[in-house]
Each structure stands twice: as structure tokens, then as C-alpha cells.
Amino acid sequence: MSWTEFELLNQKEREEFTRCCAYIMARTYVPRDTPNMTISKEYSFIQSKFPLFDEYLALSGWRIYLDRTLAVIYVRNIEGFNKLRLDKLTTLIIITMRLIFEEKRMDGGTLNAGLITVGELLTKMINEFSLLPKKPNNRELKDSLRILEQHNIIYKMSDNYDDMECKIKILPSIAVAIPNDRCRTVYEKLRAEEEENSDENNDEGSID
């Protein structure tokens, strides 16, 4: 690897390079837009030094991508290591959000149109998509939403996930995390599992 470009960086830029490497490795996704609709410092810097990040991360088995359409920069491990394992509730939530995001795009919304409340999310999961029989407990719900927030899949726009009116912005990075074909496949599988569980519970509760 040629370090010529790195050597040309001043001290402040080198520090920012180190910080942005740590940031993207921890977050996976770096959306262009911040919650305040300004351009992310990390996105701007990584984009401006993209070849350098590409060479540096490749040394440790990582690839960095820039999706200009979705305005998201993200990393993937070449060998498939370091994948985040989601529990079932978090999986149900991210699939629901992915479906909502696509609905809003199909309705002519922009990439930044995916704004919902916690209450609306749960209504979709329980009543419309039939992925949950009832509202999960608050601790599990908050833990799941925080995981997605930590990886820049969502932004919390209000103070507390306990509040059903808490606003959440679904970020374009969700379309990278779950492509359309995979989303539909996983959704159908999860819904079938929920219907099977519901039938079993009904059988157990019946009296001959």
C-alpha cells in the first residue's frame, strides 16, 4: 500500500482519519444526512478521502462502499466476519421498518420521508403485518431500537422510546442492510412462524 496520500495529510486530518475509521467500524453505516438535515462530518470526510479509506481497510479484510443513490457509506467484511446477530424482536422491527421505508418511497416520498412514531411502528407490526401478537415489554423494545440506532439504521428524533409518540427516522441505510428480495423472503418466513405459533396457542387453549 502506498502511504503517499496519508503522509500528505496534516495532523488534524490524520486524527480525523483515525476517528472516522473507528466510527465506521463501530457503526457500519454512515448516512450523509444528520438528524438536523446537515451533512455528516464523517460522511463528508470519508467521501473526500475514499481511496485512502478503501486501501487502509482492505489490509484488514474489509471493503468500504459508497452508495450515492442512497447517500450512505458502509463497510463489509470480506470473509463475512463480525456480522451482527439480531434477536427475534429486533429482526421483526427492522423488517417492519424496511417495509415502511419502501412503502413511503413507492408513494413518492424522498429518502428522508421515513418518519414514524413508536406507536405507529407497533401498530404496523401487530395489526397490519401480523408479526407480533401483542406489544413487547418496554425494556426489550428499547434495547432493540437502541441497537438499530447504534448502527445508524434509525435516528431517534424525540427523547424517550418509552413514549408511544417518540418519533423515529428510518434511514436509507436500511435499504443496504436489507435488500428488497431478502426483506420479502424474511417477512414471509417470520409471518408464517407467527401464524404457526398462534395456531398452536389456540389448540392448547381449546377444550374438546
Side-chain angles (χ1 to χ4, degrees):
M1 173 182 176
S2 172
W3 283 97
T4 304
E5 186 177 352
F6 185 82
E7 291 170 351
L8 292 174
L9 299 179
N10 60 40
Q11 185 60 35
K12 184 176 180 181
E13 289 174 325
R14 292 185 185 191
E15 291 173 358
E16 186 65 1
F17 179 84
T18 300
R19 188 185 73 82
C20 286
C21 278
Y23 182 86
I24 196 169
M25 294 299 289
R27 299 292 187 115
T28 308
Y29 303 100
V30 182
R32 180 190 61 198
D33 299 324
T34 70
N36 298 322
M37 293 306 297
T38 59
I39 295 178
S40 157
K41 293 188 303 180
E42 292 81 12
Y43 184 96
S44 181
F45 185 80
I46 295 172
Q47 183 183 36
S48 70
K49 308 295 181 186
F50 194 84
L52 184 58
F53 279 92
D54 187 35
E55 288 188 62
Y56 178 79
L57 292 173
L59 288 175
S60 54
W62 290 83
R63 290 291 307 276
I64 186 169
Y65 302 88
L66 170 58
D67 190 315
R68 297 183 185 277
T69 301
L70 294 172
V72 177
I73 297 173
Y74 60 100
V75 290
R76 290 282 187 271
N77 185 272
I78 296 171
E79 302 296 332
F81 299 140
N82 296 80
K83 287 188 177 181
L84 178 65
R85 302 292 180 183
L86 302 179
D87 61 26
K88 185 169 183 179
L89 177 59
T90 310
T91 301
L92 293 173
I93 289 173
I94 195 173
I95 290 296
T96 302
M97 288 183 169
R98 180 65 176 86
L99 293 169
I100 293 171
F101 181 82
E102 197 59 32
E103 281 181 359
K104 291 181 178 292
R105 291 183 69 186
M106 293 294 290
D107 290 341
T110 67
L111 291 177
N112 295 298
L115 194 66
I116 60 169
T117 66
V118 171
E120 289 168 344
L121 171 67
L122 293 175
T123 297
K124 286 275 190 180
M125 295 178 72
I126 297 169
N127 298 334
E128 184 172 340
F129 298 149
S130 302
L131 291 174
L132 277 180
K134 61 181 180 180
K135 178 182 177 296
N137 71 60
N138 285 342
R139 181 175 179 178
E140 292 177 343
L141 178 62
K142 288 190 293 185
D143 286 346
S144 292
L145 292 173
R146 283 170 181 158
I147 289 172
L148 301 183
E149 183 182 357
Q150 287 165 4
H151 288 273
N152 285 335
I153 299 294
I154 62 173
Y155 285 148
K156 182 174 65 173
M157 307 299 289
S158 304
D159 291 334
N160 198 324
Y161 287 132
D162 285 331
D163 184 359
M164 291 296 101
E165 295 302 316
C166 174
K167 293 181 179 179
I168 300 170
K169 178 178 284 187
I170 305 171
L171 301 175
S173 45
I174 199 168
V176 179
I178 308 177
N180 274 341
D181 55 347
R182 184 182 173 200
C183 178
R184 183 55 57 178
T185 300
V186 175
Y187 166 67
E188 295 295 346
K189 180 180 178 181
L190 291 171
R191 183 163 183 176
E193 288 178 359
E194 180 55 39
E195 289 176 351
E196 183 178 341
N197 291 336
S198 178
D199 290 342
E200 289 177 357
N201 290 335
N202 289 336
D203 290 343
E204 290 174 1
S206 63
I207 299 176
D208 295 332

